[in-house]
Amino acid sequence: MNAIFDGISSLLDISVLLYMLVGLLLGFLVGAFPGITATMAVALAAGFTMTLEPVQGLAVLLTIYVAANFGDRVPSILVNTPGTPASIATTLDGYPMAKQGRAGLALTISAIVSAIGILASLVLFAVAAVPVATFARNFFKSPELFALVVFGIAIMIGISSKSMLKGILAGLFGLMLGTVGTYSATADQRYTFGILELFEGFNFIAVIIGLFGIAELFDQLLTYHRAKTRPISSLGRWWPTRAELRQTRRALAVSGGVGLGVGLIPAAGGDIAGLIGWERARKVSKQPEQFGKGSIEGITASDTASSATLGGSLTTTMALGIPGDSVMAVMIGSMIIWGITPGPSLFADRPGLVVSITGIMLIATLLSLGLSLVRMRGMVKLLDVPQPYLWSGILVFCIIGTFATSNSLSTVVTMLVFGVIGLLLKRMSVPAGPVVLGLLLGPLAEENLARTLAILPTRPFFEVVSPIAIILLVLAVLSIAVPAVRNARRPRDKRGSFAESILDDDTVADIEAKHTAIDALPDPVTGVVRTPDELDVAPTRPVNPKENQK
């Protein structure tokens, strides 16, 4: 009870609420502007929160994480462009609803089911986190922790790249970066080349901002073209009828279960859950033919599933110390800087902080839902802001935020260098996720491997290496081998990562055909039918979930 009281009392500070309001505003803006991901925003904000108390800093970062999950539905529905990868599946039925003059209804249903998905995931966190952490604390020693880290990196490699070789190289590159600096076991300097700034290794926040922020900024600068498609401004009615709410129940239950399960898998994010949830709901629906045409069940399924991953990701991160997604990887880096180590010991050493984290997520969800239900005509106008203005502001904040982490220009140089590296990785279709996990978890894996190797000569093998460690290592191998074998058996032009092959080719073709017909509908406001040249996408390829993943 003391932990609950301490956790709740820390949230009663007025400064925490003010920081949450800042995070709420930033999260919605981040979600509303396509191309600015939640990972990028949280990494950028992390540079400004290093001087805050842990609860205050977490209030900003976690609220951005939650609010971006609401804001990214706006461009998905109104412009047919995902605000963040988590809202890819929202475009499948959200945009058709907007073209039919039901954009307000789509936005409202999306907000309600997103809130339900997050709240359900917080229940999962409250129920599962302590048992998982207790189990890990009792049974996870050095061999098991090493195997767990390998499993987490392998999962990220297995789901994030068409080419398994590229995914493995990305993971190895991240592990190599993690070896730079002082080796804690012997205090030896490794790969520093006498450069003082490298004695403590690469600045994690600078690397994250470079790989996810600056790289995306450079990529947009090089590929920018003025958009011709205007956001749909005719929002129509906002509130669903009772019949429409009843229509969402089956999809809500099925996709909610999918999201909760996917969220517990390290590195599997809302983009994957949204597509799987949409597909599962379509299979159990009484009207599957309506999916892709503006189905209320479809938008319910996609947004519930993608939102329900948040609590599972939080559980994996806080209970095991393995980031559930790229945002949680940034969160772990920030917590380590604050002197907090996520993992099994967190629940024993800082139980009050765990309660505070749960409270922040709960309040942030309710605040985001309230803001989403306000008629967001202002958000529609934000979509008209020219992107070059955004780029200049983002670049300035990236530089200031990175400099704030160490008050050193070398950190800014590190950020820019990794921005260029991130751009090269993007152009070569090499995923950045395994690089980040390798950098973050590499030292942990190395430390536990060294301990295991030191113990092995003195004790029997199976007394040191438990069945848990062996099972995790086997799963790590399978998570790479299975996608590789699956891709090898498919034609070269149809190969893809797990994230890109969730929907089969027939389903994608069906969605494209439906959206072609929908794009031919008159504009809800002017009644004008736009020609193919006035659309951002070719009429035969209005939506391709596989390509939007990239």
Side-chain angles (χ1 to χ4, degrees):
M1 291 298 294
N2 288 336
I4 296 176
F5 177 78
D6 292 341
I8 294 176
S9 62
S10 65
L11 299 179
L12 299 179
D13 188 340
I14 188 64
S15 65
V16 174
L17 179 59
L18 293 176
Y19 285 122
M20 289 186 68
L21 292 176
V22 171
L24 182 70
L25 177 61
L26 291 176
F28 261 89
L29 292 176
V30 164
F33 291 122
I36 307 177
T37 65
T39 304
M40 175 180 172
V42 172
L44 179 57
F48 294 94
T49 59
M50 293 299 98
T51 58
L52 301 179
E53 293 297 321
V55 174
Q56 296 173 336
L58 287 170
V60 177
L61 302 184
L62 289 172
T63 306
I64 291 175
Y65 184 38
V66 172
N69 202 72
F70 285 81
D72 63 358
R73 318 297 168 173
V74 177
S76 297
I77 292 170
L78 301 182
V79 195
N80 197 25
T81 303
T84 68
S87 63
I88 287 173
T90 307
T91 63
L92 302 182
D93 285 288
Y95 179 68
M97 288 183 68
K99 281 286 292 183
Q100 296 161 5
R102 298 188 295 162
L105 179 61
L107 290 169
T108 299
I109 291 177
S110 173
I112 293 173
V113 300
S114 294
I116 293 173
I118 296 176
L119 293 176
S121 72
L122 289 180
V123 173
L124 174 67
F125 174 69
V127 171
V130 173
V132 171
T134 302
F135 177 83
R137 188 167 59 248
N138 292 337
F139 296 99
F140 277 47
K141 308 304 180 187
S142 293
E144 291 77 20
L145 290 174
F146 168 75
L148 182 63
V149 171
V150 172
F151 175 62
I153 296 175
I155 284 285
M156 173 65 85
I157 291 171
I159 69 174
S160 60
S161 179
K162 287 183 178 180
S163 169
M164 199 56 58
L165 178 60
K166 291 180 180 179
I168 293 173
L169 290 176
L172 292 176
F173 179 56
L175 291 173
M176 182 186 71
L177 294 176
T179 63
V180 175
T182 304
Y183 182 39
S184 57
T186 62
D188 291 332
Q189 303 296 327
R190 302 185 302 184
Y191 311 114
T192 60
F193 306 104
I195 301 174
L196 182 63
E197 287 78 7
L198 293 180
F199 282 10
E200 295 183 1
F202 289 105
N203 184 290
F204 182 73
I205 299 299
V207 173
I208 283 282
I209 293 177
L211 289 177
F212 288 100
I214 300 299
E216 181 64 32
L217 186 65
F218 287 166
D219 187 59
Q220 291 191 26
L221 282 170
L222 294 174
T223 60
Y224 173 71
H225 67 281
R226 186 177 296 276
K228 297 179 181 179
T229 300
R230 304 280 297 176
I232 293 175
S233 57
S234 176
L235 303 183
R237 67 183 175 93
W238 281 76
W239 296 105
T241 63
R242 289 186 178 181
E244 289 168 335
L245 289 176
R246 285 195 299 270
Q247 192 178 345
T248 65
R249 289 186 297 189
R250 181 176 300 184
L252 190 69
V254 171
S255 59
V258 169
L260 294 176
V262 172
L264 290 171
I265 302 174
D271 51 346
I272 293 174
L275 290 171
I276 295 177
W278 185 89
E279 179 66 10
R280 292 295 97 194
R282 186 175 72 90
K283 289 186 180 299
V284 302
S285 173
K286 294 180 179 179
Q287 296 178 311
E289 70 282 354
Q290 294 299 317
F291 277 62
K293 290 184 177 180
S295 168
I296 290 178
E297 289 181 275
I299 195 170
T300 298
S302 59
D303 289 352
T304 304
S306 61
S307 300
T309 61
L310 269 65
S313 176
L314 190 66
T315 301
T316 305
T317 303
M318 298 301 166
L320 299 177
I322 302 296
D325 54 28
S326 56
V327 175
M328 283 295 147
V330 180
M331 208 75 68
I332 287 180
S334 299
M335 294 177 74
I336 290 174
I337 295 175
W338 283 319
I340 303 168
T341 304
S345 60
L346 178 65
F347 289 79
D349 300 338
R350 303 287 295 271
L353 182 64
V354 177
V355 174
S356 296
I357 290 172
T358 308
I360 290 170
M361 293 280 285
L362 175 62
I363 297 171
T365 302
L366 297 178
L367 289 175
S368 299
L369 175 61
L371 182 59
S372 298
L373 294 180
V374 175
R375 297 199 173 193
M376 292 185 289
R377 296 187 184 278
M379 296 293 278
V380 179
K381 296 185 181 298
L382 284 176
L383 297 176
D384 286 329
V385 175
Q387 284 194 314
Y389 294 144
L390 294 178
W391 295 335
S392 57
I394 291 170
L395 181 60
V396 169
F397 278 104
C398 283
I399 293 174
I400 295 174
T402 304
F403 182 80
T405 62
S406 63
N407 293 324
S408 172
L409 287 176
S410 64
T411 309
V412 178
V413 173
T414 299
M415 175 198 70
L416 294 175
V417 168
F418 276 94
V420 175
I421 292 174
L423 177 62
L424 294 176
L425 294 177
K426 182 183 286 285
R427 290 306 173 92
M428 294 186 295
S429 299
V430 176
V435 178
V436 173
L437 280 189
L439 173 61
L440 178 65
L441 301 179
L444 176 62
E446 183 183 30
E447 181 180 346
N448 285 288
L449 178 61
R451 290 176 182 171
T452 303
L453 294 177
I455 297 172
L456 272 176
T458 64
R459 297 166 63 182
F461 180 84
F462 288 105
E463 186 178 326
V464 177
V465 181
S466 69
I468 296 174
I470 295 174
I471 291 172
L472 287 173
L473 291 175
V474 170
L475 290 175
V477 173
L478 290 177
S479 65
I480 293 178
V482 171
V485 172
R486 183 196 65 229
N487 271 346
R489 297 177 64 181
R490 302 185 70 188
R492 183 176 294 274
D493 60 342
K494 294 184 179 181
R495 294 178 184 179
S497 66
F498 173 70
E500 294 175 299
S501 58
I502 293 170
L503 301 182
D504 58 44
D505 294 337
D506 291 340
T507 301
V508 173
D510 180 53
I511 294 170
E512 291 179 346
K514 291 174 179 176
H515 282 220
T516 300
I518 289 167
D519 271 327
L521 293 175
D523 185 275
V525 176
T526 63
V528 175
V529 178
R530 291 180 293 176
T531 65
D533 291 339
E534 295 175 314
L535 299 172
D536 276 345
V537 290
T540 57
R541 300 178 62 196
V543 170
N544 190 330
K546 298 182 180 181
E547 292 189 358
N548 281 335
Q549 295 267 2
K550 299 178 182 178

